[in-house]
Amino acid sequence: MDFTLSEDAEMVRSTVHEFVRRDLLPLEPKFLLAKTIEERQEITRGATEKLKEMGLYSAGVPEEFGGGGLGMIETCLIAEEISFTIIPVEWGDLTPILYECTEHQKENYLFPVVQGTKRYSLAFREPVHFTTADKMATTAQPEGQGYIVNGVKLLSRPDFDFCLVFALAPEGPTCFILERDAPGAQLSAEKENSDIRLILNDCIIGQDRILGKPGAALTLGQKWFPLTRITRSAAILGVCRRILETTTQYVRDWKSMNEPISSRQETRRSLASMAGNIEALRWLVYHTAWLATTSSKINYESTLLKLQAHNVLEDTVNSSVRIHGGTMPPIEHWLIGASKEGEVLDMLRLVVSQEVIARYA
């Protein structure tokens, strides 16, 4: 078997790798010290514009949706290298839910997102965690040629032009496209946990803003979600690589009681464990990406990969914190992010365990 990257794939990897090291890592101190969300957003937008100039924006989006149509391996390489920095650069890694837009909706929402002229936010989670979608507190009641939506949602990002709101309609969970300045919609920031809330109070949304069919929100983008799981897992791989590198630099330079902490058995054990887990994740990511190019039936494999990626991220963060106490800014940044993944992990564990039971029953 030949595990070497193709010439094109290696060119993509080296281009993004150099961009991150040269243009993004030097901006991280400024990003971390920014006093307002607007300052961070400005840094992110500047980095995104540079990526667009390189022709890599939306490179992994299928050509039929206006993207570059890169293969799965190349897309994973971009995701891995871009995620090495804490600056959340936009590179066109959009939710496949948008692929379900009608032709009219594509012109107003999907294509602008692919081109980078519009941004979206997901509004699926709620302040009170629900176990299944039919337990959502946000409701959508039919009214004339549309629906009246009431409830509170947690947004995936604070800067957006429109958001995808999930609400419980009489037909079942339904996804609505909502403009940022829509009447009846209000944003609120929670200082305690930095959540951005979307408060919907008798918000009227027309039939033409329903994504897919009423009651069918959970089936949106199912064809593409396995590929998205692989790409997101590659991004987690990049985060883990950065944590390992940052932690190793700390171990190399720091002393305690006039002795380098690299001489401690616990430190060596933690570094070795981190390195082994990350290397294993790397092989799993690119093996699953290869499977995606040879078969369309990778739902279980991609779900297992995403679960393992989160497990490795959690172990990597915890091992790193045991070494330096969580005081290093980049590690602290990812520690906060990793602490919010509990709901995702529970869902992934459920899916994987059900498949394992079915296979070995």
Side-chain angles (χ1 to χ4, degrees):
M1 294 183 288
D2 185 2
F3 294 105
T4 58
L5 295 175
S6 67
E7 184 176 342
D8 290 342
E10 179 57 37
M11 182 178 68
V12 169
R13 188 205 65 79
S14 60
T15 299
V16 181
H17 178 85
E18 182 181 353
F19 166 67
V20 170
R21 296 279 181 170
R22 182 191 65 236
D23 296 335
L24 301 188
L25 295 191
L27 291 175
E28 288 188 344
K30 182 179 179 182
F31 182 84
L32 289 169
L33 294 173
K35 297 181 180 180
T36 64
I37 293 178
E38 289 72 23
E39 289 181 44
R40 289 191 171 188
Q41 290 174 350
E42 185 61 30
I43 295 173
T44 301
R45 281 193 289 268
T48 301
E49 288 302 318
K50 290 183 180 179
L51 193 67
K52 289 180 182 178
E53 293 171 3
M54 297 165 59
L56 290 173
Y57 193 86
S58 295
V61 175
E63 290 182 340
E64 62 185 289
F65 301 120
L70 279 185
M72 199 67 238
I73 298 293
E74 291 81 1
T75 303
C76 285
L77 289 169
I78 295 176
E80 179 185 349
E81 294 296 337
I82 284 290
S83 298
F84 196 79
T85 175
I86 64 173
I87 298 176
V89 184
E90 298 283 348
W91 61 280
D93 179 32
L94 58 89
T95 173
I97 292 175
L98 283 172
Y99 295 158
E100 304 283 356
C101 284
T102 63
E103 293 304 317
H104 178 69
Q105 291 171 344
K106 286 179 181 178
E107 294 294 334
N108 292 325
Y109 302 106
L110 174 60
F111 293 151
V113 168
V114 173
Q115 295 161 7
T117 58
K118 280 189 177 182
R119 299 179 300 274
Y120 71 92
S121 183
L122 290 174
F124 182 78
R125 298 168 53 240
E126 295 181 347
V128 178
H129 173 59
F130 53 85
T131 54
T132 57
D134 60 350
K135 302 296 183 181
M136 280 191 295
T138 303
T139 60
Q141 295 298 326
E143 180 73 20
Q145 298 299 313
Y147 288 79
I148 295 181
V149 183
N150 285 280
V152 180
K153 309 296 290 190
L154 301 181
L155 294 175
S156 62
R157 56 181 295 173
D159 55 326
F160 62 94
D161 297 291
F162 67 93
C163 58
L164 302 179
V165 178
F166 290 78
L168 190 60
E171 300 90 342
T174 303
C175 182
F176 299 90
I177 302 175
L178 183 69
E179 300 286 351
R180 183 185 180 94
D181 56 354
Q186 179 183 356
L187 297 181
S188 174
E190 292 295 312
K191 295 182 179 180
E192 293 183 359
N193 51 21
S194 71
D195 283 331
I196 305 298
R197 298 189 176 192
L198 175 66
I199 303 173
L200 303 169
N201 185 17
D202 289 339
C203 184
I204 300 177
I205 307 179
Q207 289 275 4
D208 61 327
R209 300 297 174 87
I210 295 178
L211 192 55
K213 297 180 180 180
L218 300 187
T219 65
L220 295 173
Q222 281 191 344
K223 173 184 176 181
W224 306 96
F225 268 116
L227 303 181
T228 301
R229 294 189 198 107
I230 299 173
T231 305
R232 303 288 165 80
S233 299
I236 292 176
L237 172 61
V239 171
C240 292
R241 282 180 47 220
R242 178 65 187 286
I243 294 175
L244 177 61
E245 179 179 299
T246 305
T247 305
T248 303
Q249 292 171 345
Y250 178 88
V251 169
R252 182 194 62 197
D253 300 333
W254 194 257
K255 290 184 179 181
S256 177
M257 304 294 289
N258 293 323
E259 291 185 2
I261 64 173
S262 59
S263 63
R264 295 179 179 176
Q265 182 178 2
E266 180 61 30
T267 299
R268 295 196 297 266
R269 183 184 294 115
S270 294
L271 282 180
S273 177
M274 291 165 66
N277 288 339
I278 292 171
E279 189 61 22
L281 177 59
R282 183 199 309 279
W283 285 103
L284 187 57
V285 165
Y286 288 100
H287 173 69
T288 311
W290 172 77
L291 284 178
T293 66
T294 62
S295 172
S296 60
K297 297 180 180 180
I298 56 168
N299 188 60
Y300 170 71
E301 288 78 6
S302 63
T303 304
L304 179 62
L305 167 62
K306 187 75 183 300
L307 174 61
Q308 186 61 15
H310 280 284
N311 288 336
V312 172
L313 175 61
E314 184 177 18
D315 289 343
T316 301
V317 169
N318 290 337
S319 295
S320 179
V321 169
R322 280 196 294 270
I323 292 175
H324 57 70
T327 56
M328 300 180 69
I331 308 299
E332 183 181 15
H333 176 85
W334 280 308
L335 178 62
I336 295 173
S339 67
K340 298 181 179 181
E341 298 292 347
E343 297 175 15
V344 175
L345 282 171
D346 288 341
M347 188 180 305
L348 293 172
R349 291 189 185 108
L350 175 62
V351 174
V352 171
S353 63
Q354 288 177 334
E355 178 64 22
V356 171
I357 293 172
R359 290 191 175 195
Y360 292 96

